[in-house]
Amino acid sequence: SGDRMTLLTFGLFFLTWTSLGGSWNSTLGFVNAFSQGSYPGSTILHNRHRSTTITEKIQATINNSLGPHRTFQSVQLRSSIPSDVEDDDVWMEAVESGKEREKLKTTLYKLGASYDRGFGATGRARDEADQVIDALEALNPMTFAAEGIEGVGSASSPLTGAWRMIWTTAQDVLTLASSPISTVSAIYQVFDPPVVTNVIDLIPRIQALLPPGVAPQSLVRAQVTTRASPRSSMPNRVGLDFESVNLQPVQLFGFESSMLPPFGFNLPRLPDIPGFDPESSPGFFDVTYLDAELLVIRQNAPGGYFALVKVDNYDP
């Protein structure tokens, strides 16, 4: 309760000070003195948690007062506080890495929007996307992406949920847009461990060429279902066994058709071969980047990578 009261006092002081025209320099001076115990009420926090925790709490208080669209730059605050905490360098490195990741992700989002997820990419755009992906992979914060992918035990998978593709270099997917009859709408990868489903929405090419609303809408959804398993020696590798393929009409000439039966078939399961190690099976992908909103995977065969963003659902 003492900590909360101290922070509340500081927050009220900050709001009053800035509303009366207090400058950032003056505010920073107050923050520095507060973190070092020179202002009344600051010694409790200073003695108990030292500079790192103080900085985090002060920054949170300032950011809350600024509202959702303005953020106080933590680097300004941090650079003014004595670096007498063991994890100071780690903290600064994490801040800079986070900024770099956000910058790279923004660049990738723009490329995906400008070049139709890679389907219409120029050579220069592909090279730029490759460089962004390489840089993101070097900053990958996830080291155990395959944890819980088998769907047993108490461990939950960090991959769980629906992910929509925003960029790819996989030729087996890019060639889907070469059909004179249909073209590609949204593409998803849905993780419900241990099941991983690849979802591809296809629309008539004439529908994509005409202005919206001119042609009656049609959409067919293709789903490839696989069963995932971890590879024990590689915590970011996910093994896949292909199980079935289904084609489901969702809309035909403007009419809902999801009640129509799907066309599909089960894929044959390969028999167990004596001496064959399942972990060496060619069906797998590596998670090379994963955070709360972006997933990058590289598939083994036929090669290429996918960048996907987390979405709330995969409704057509």
Side-chain angles (χ1 to χ4, degrees):
S1 59
D3 288 3
R4 293 180 179 176
M5 182 60 68
T6 303
L7 287 173
L8 178 60
T9 303
F10 172 79
L12 292 173
F13 173 87
F14 176 79
L15 289 173
T16 306
W17 177 257
T18 52
S19 65
L20 295 176
S23 66
W24 281 110
N25 291 334
S26 299
T27 306
L28 277 173
F30 171 78
V31 169
N32 291 337
F34 183 92
S35 67
Q36 298 176 51
S38 300
Y39 270 77
S42 65
T43 53
I44 297 175
L45 287 177
H46 184 72
N47 292 334
R48 185 179 301 176
H49 303 296
R50 300 188 63 82
S51 300
T52 299
T53 306
I54 293 170
T55 303
E56 293 170 354
K57 291 189 175 184
I58 293 175
Q59 183 186 338
T61 304
I62 295 175
N63 287 342
N64 289 337
S65 69
L66 292 175
H69 304 297
R70 297 175 60 194
T71 302
F72 183 69
Q73 295 298 316
S74 58
V75 173
Q76 291 178 321
L77 174 61
R78 190 69 176 178
S79 63
S80 300
I81 294 179
S83 55
D84 58 350
V85 183
E86 293 180 358
D87 63 347
D88 187 75
D89 292 339
V90 176
W91 191 93
M92 286 298 298
E93 182 179 350
V95 169
E96 294 303 322
S97 295
K99 288 183 178 181
E100 182 64 18
R101 282 195 291 264
E102 292 305 312
K103 180 180 177 181
L104 290 166
K105 289 194 294 185
T106 299
T107 301
L108 185 61
Y109 299 156
K110 290 179 179 179
L111 285 169
S114 300
Y115 295 98
D116 190 15
R117 301 161 293 173
F119 289 105
T122 62
R124 182 177 178 179
R126 290 191 187 95
D127 290 343
E128 185 177 358
D130 289 347
Q131 293 172 8
V132 169
I133 292 296
D134 289 344
L136 279 169
E137 290 174 339
L139 298 170
N140 182 21
M142 177 59 66
T143 58
F144 49 90
E147 182 180 14
I149 196 65
E150 68 272 33
V152 296
S154 59
S156 60
S157 171
L159 294 168
T160 298
W163 302 81
R164 183 168 57 220
M165 191 190 81
I166 61 169
W167 191 270
T168 188
T169 60
Q171 290 301 313
D172 57 325
V173 173
L174 293 176
T175 53
L176 293 174
S178 62
S179 169
I181 299 174
S182 64
T183 190
V184 184
S185 182
I187 295 178
Y188 302 90
Q189 194 157 41
V190 182
F191 291 84
D192 185 16
V195 176
V196 180
T197 306
N198 298 320
V199 179
I200 303 173
D201 290 338
L202 302 169
I203 61 175
R205 181 163 293 279
I206 186 66
Q207 179 177 312
L209 295 175
L210 294 174
V214 173
Q217 302 293 295
S218 296
L219 185 146
V220 175
R221 168 161 284 188
Q223 297 186 91
V224 180
T225 303
T226 65
R227 186 165 294 270
S229 60
R231 298 290 173 89
S232 59
S233 59
M234 304 190 71
N236 276 357
R237 176 166 292 183
V238 176
L240 297 173
D241 290 322
F242 290 85
E243 295 190 332
S244 64
V245 176
N246 283 285
L247 294 175
Q248 174 68 62
V250 177
Q251 218 176 15
L252 289 176
F253 305 110
F255 295 96
E256 296 295 326
S257 56
S258 57
M259 298 301 295
L260 294 176
F263 168 78
F265 54 90
N266 294 327
L267 298 171
R269 182 176 179 83
L270 296 177
D272 294 332
I273 302 175
F276 176 73
D277 183 5
E279 294 211 352
S280 64
S281 169
F284 68 82
F285 63 79
D286 291 323
V287 177
T288 57
Y289 183 90
L290 176 62
D291 64 19
E293 61 184 16
L294 179 67
L295 166 66
V296 178
I297 63 176
R298 290 186 181 268
Q299 65 177 2
N300 179 36
Y305 64 78
F306 297 83
L308 310 99
V309 294
K310 191 75 173 285
V311 292
D312 294 332
N313 61 71
Y314 57 105
D315 296 336

